[in-house]
Amino acid sequence: MKSFVWHPNTQMKEWDSFTKIVKAKGMWLTDSDGNNLLDGVASMWCNVWGHSKPELINAITKQSKKIQHTSMFNLTNAPTEELAANLIKISPRMHRVFYSDNGSSAMEIAFKMGLQYWNNIGEKKKTKIMALEKGYHGDTFGSMAVGYVPEFFNKFKNQLFSTIQIPVPNKYKIPKGYSYQDYQNFCIDKIENIFSKDEKIAMFVMESGAQVAGGVNIFPEGFQRKISKLCKKYDVLLVLDEIATGFGRLGSMVQYTEQRSIPDIVAYGKMLTGGYLTMAATLTSKKIYKSFLGEFNDRKHLFHGHTFTGNPLSAAVANENLKLYQKYNLIKKIKKTSKIFEEYYEKILELKIVGDVRHKGMLMGIELVKNKQSKIPIHPKKSINKIFFEEGKKQGIYLRTLGNIVMIVPPLAISENELNMLLSRTIETIESAQNQVV
Ligand SMILES: Cc1ncc(COP(=O)(O)O)c(C=O)c1O
């Protein structure tokens, strides 16, 4: 259909019409022509239970009859209070929850909290932010500055505040002359070197467990823990972004516990509401929170708030979502379902244009190359995303690629049958697309 909407991250000239989704049930989206598409990207990595889950719909309906929205300015409400308590319960060492309505904002809040913490305690020199290259933290200005993915954001480079970007080990792309282990040591040494010389470093920001949008780069064992230890040693705050990787995506409810790295600030989003309504949360330790307490005229409080901060409908569905994680033992189920990805690993890697396959939990990235030796990315005239969307649609799956990476990010509760279907249809999609892309 013709669209008056300017679609996200889209070359609008390339799309003269868009597939219109008219309903969705379980793992399937149905378009206006009656085609069914298996949701291979969990509707932008956030859907947990599939679509139209009765318990989640009921939670929204029930809450909508009481109060749909009331602000958190001077007021509170039951679902947001209950959710904050629930989030604190699952997040070791976290003490308070600040709400927002999308992941980019949750990260902006994290940066503001981290910077102001040092100001509040009188350490005014500590103003610099360090982060990992290829990290992604959202599309707002602060998030672009910290999560600077050059391919996405180089047009704004001059307007972004400066950050210190640290190289990150990616097993598939280790610079010449290094082993994987050597390169990990190189990155860690670089961090320590800067921490030990520069007292102005306020915080280290990274995605927890893996970089997703920056190329599905799963961190090597111990990498995050080492950074966390360095942060403690040199008195630098650790800010973790679990927006895409927490809540089971990588196989654990909270990724930082699996990584044995305790943050000072952590952000959740995406799957928080099961993918039904918009909400994100920034959690902080007691140390950070306490530094914001004082007399009103000390002006130590956090100057941040959004219209829909702590929306009760979103909170109600998030509470129900968390209940369902328990009721259906989702994390245990994921551990079993995610093994299916491994069965397809070799088959995918053998495909002519596949250079590498990376997988953890319910996330897989398939890197497409022109030539397996040179590892040069495929670079067709038309966008890779459009080609794969169209070919995927013919196979009955909904795919969205990121650069030259096919992302497989299904709803977490996908059945084993449906995951098998998604993966085998992805192989067929790559096979049918390969002649168009090389
Ligand atoms: C790790 C990470 N952080 C932050 C964001 C931004 O979240 P949102 O798109 O809700 O603003 C994303 C979105 O993909 C993400 O993957």
Side-chain angles (χ1 to χ4, degrees), residues 248-249 334 337-338 341 360-364 408-412 414:
R249 177 57 64 200
I334 287 171
T337 319
S338 68
F341 282 96
K360 185 168 180 182
M362 297 298 282
L363 170 72
M364 182 179 256
I408 311 289
V409 198
L412 298 177
I414 192 168

Side-chain angles (χ1 to χ4, degrees), residues 60-170:
I60 299 171
T61 317
K62 215 167 129 195
Q63 179 58 36
S64 72
K65 289 179 183 159
K66 292 185 196 157
I67 173 75
Q68 307 75 43
H69 180 63
T70 171
S71 87
M72 300 298 289
F73 295 81
N74 295 358
L75 302 171
T76 194
N77 63 76
T80 43
E81 289 293 341
E82 184 186 332
L83 180 61
N86 285 336
L87 292 176
I88 296 290
K89 209 155 135 198
I90 60 167
S91 311
R93 307 267 189 94
M94 293 300 113
H95 185 68
R96 285 290 188 271
V97 177
F98 196 101
Y99 290 112
S100 52
D101 38 302
N102 63 78
S104 310
S105 301
M107 291 309 293
E108 299 282 347
I109 293 162
F111 309 147
K112 282 174 76 173
M113 282 175 174
L115 290 172
Q116 195 180 326
Y117 162 76
W118 292 114
N119 195 290
N120 284 347
I121 65 164
E123 295 270 3
K124 298 200 172 154
K125 284 191 315 236
K126 282 198 173 261
T127 53
K128 291 189 185 171
I129 300 183
M130 244 165 108
L132 291 177
E133 283 173 7
K134 296 247 170 197
Y136 174 81
H137 302 293
D139 286 350
T140 50
F141 268 81
S143 299
M144 289 195 291
V146 179
Y148 183 68
V149 183
E151 301 87 288
F152 302 166
F153 304 137
N154 57 11
K155 312 275 187 318
F156 308 106
K157 198 163 193 256
N158 292 338
Q159 280 74 34
L160 300 177
F161 61 78
S162 73
T163 56
I164 303 169
Q165 299 281 320
I166 299 296
V168 62
N170 175 338

Side-chain angles (χ1 to χ4, degrees), residues 220-277:
E221 174 87 34
F223 180 68
Q224 185 166 324
R225 179 165 164 75
K226 283 184 192 145
I227 295 177
S228 148
K229 281 184 158 179
L230 288 178
C231 286
K232 303 281 171 296
K233 183 170 168 190
Y234 292 97
D235 207 12
V236 170
L237 301 180
L238 178 63
V239 176
L240 292 179
D241 178 344
E242 297 222 356
I243 289 159
T245 54
F247 277 68
R249 177 57 64 200
L250 296 186
S252 304
M253 191 67 194
V254 173
Q255 207 18 237
Y256 70 76
T257 49
E258 186 187 318
Q259 300 288 340
R260 295 186 299 141
S261 57
I262 299 287
D264 296 282
I265 303 174
V266 63
Y268 301 132
K270 295 212 185 264
M271 289 159 290
L272 178 58
T273 64
Y276 279 51
L277 287 175

